[in-house]
Amino acid sequence: MYSGCMSTSERLIESTRELLWERGYVGTSPKAILERAGAGQGSMYHHFKGKPDLALAAIRRTAEEMWSTAEAVLDGPGTPYERIAAYLRREREVLRGCPVGRLTMDPDVIADDALRAPVDETLDRLREHIAQIVEEGKEQGEFAPRLDGEEIAAAVVATVQGGYVLARAAGSPTAFDAAVRGLLALLAPPTR
C-alpha cells in the first residue's frame, strides 16, 4: 500500500493514522496496523513500545497536520472575515469526519491523558488563533465591537465539528455546507 521509499516506522504511523480515523482506538488492532503497513510481526515493537506509543505518534502527526492546514488558510490573504470564511469553506472529506474531532468521541483516547493531549492542544490552538483573527477584525471595524473573539472562535470550531456530525448522519455534505453558510451569514460584516 505504501511506497518502498517510506521507512517501516513511517508506514506504521501512517497506517495507524488511517485506522484510527476509520475504526477508532479499540478497533485498531496491532494486526490490522501491521497488515496495512505491510510490516512484519515484530516491527511495531521494534520501533514503538506498543500500541499506545504508536497511537500517540499517529495522533500527534494527525494533530500537527490539521493545525498546519488550518494555520495556512487562516494566515492566508484577505480580511479577517475572508480568512475565517476560507477556513470554513476549505476542502474537507466531510463524510469521513474530522480525523482529530473524531478522536474526541473515542472513550479510550479521552480516558488516556497522553493520547488526549495532542487533540486538546490542537483544538485550543485553533480556537486561540481564530479568536486573534476576530479581535483583529474588530480593530479594523470589520466585526462588531460587541463580539467576543473567544466565543466566536468556539462557535467556528463547533460549527465545523458539528457540521461533520450532521453530514455523516445524513450521508451528505449538505448539512455541513448549510452550517457554514449560516455561521458566515451571522458573521458577515455590515454592508456600507
Side-chain angles (χ1 to χ4, degrees):
M1 176 166 202
Y2 294 101
S3 72
C5 303
M6 193 182 285
S7 72
T8 302
S9 64
E10 284 298 307
R11 291 194 325 262
L12 289 166
I13 291 170
E14 289 303 311
S15 295
T16 304
R17 289 179 63 199
E18 292 171 10
L19 289 165
L20 286 171
W21 196 3
E22 294 167 15
R23 303 178 183 181
Y25 186 79
V26 171
T28 300
S29 69
K31 181 180 178 184
I33 294 168
L34 293 171
E35 284 176 5
R36 182 154 310 183
Q41 206 161 5
S43 298
M44 180 188 303
Y45 299 100
H46 175 72
H47 296 284
F48 301 94
K49 294 175 190 165
K51 179 182 165 183
D53 188 43
L54 176 54
L56 180 58
I59 291 169
R60 281 184 178 147
R61 173 87 48 88
T62 298
E64 288 166 9
E65 185 178 280
M66 177 187 158
W67 169 247
S68 177
T69 300
E71 184 180 39
V73 174
L74 290 167
D75 288 346
T79 66
Y81 176 84
E82 290 167 343
R83 291 171 16 226
I84 290 171
Y87 168 73
L88 288 166
R89 291 179 177 144
R90 79 170 180 76
E91 191 171 324
R92 293 173 165 85
E93 292 185 65
V94 174
L95 295 180
R96 284 188 77 190
C98 176
V100 172
R102 285 187 68 177
L103 292 169
T104 66
M105 294 179 264
D106 190 315
D108 293 287
V109 171
I110 295 305
D112 185 308
D113 290 343
L115 295 178
R116 186 181 68 247
V119 173
D120 189 36
E121 290 164 8
T122 300
L123 294 173
D124 281 349
R125 284 176 79 184
L126 182 58
R127 284 192 308 270
E128 288 170 11
H129 200 64
I130 293 169
Q132 290 170 355
I133 294 170
V134 171
E135 293 303 323
E136 179 185 330
K138 286 168 50 177
E139 289 170 12
Q140 295 173 8
E142 186 174 28
F143 294 131
R146 64 177 167 67
L147 293 183
D148 180 285
E150 290 179 13
E151 290 176 358
I152 298 302
V156 169
V157 173
T159 297
V160 170
Q161 295 303 320
Y164 281 125
V165 170
L166 294 173
R168 285 176 55 85
S172 168
T174 304
F176 183 96
D177 296 339
V180 166
R181 284 192 310 273
L183 180 59
L184 288 174
L186 292 172
L187 290 177
T191 55
R192 298 176 197 246

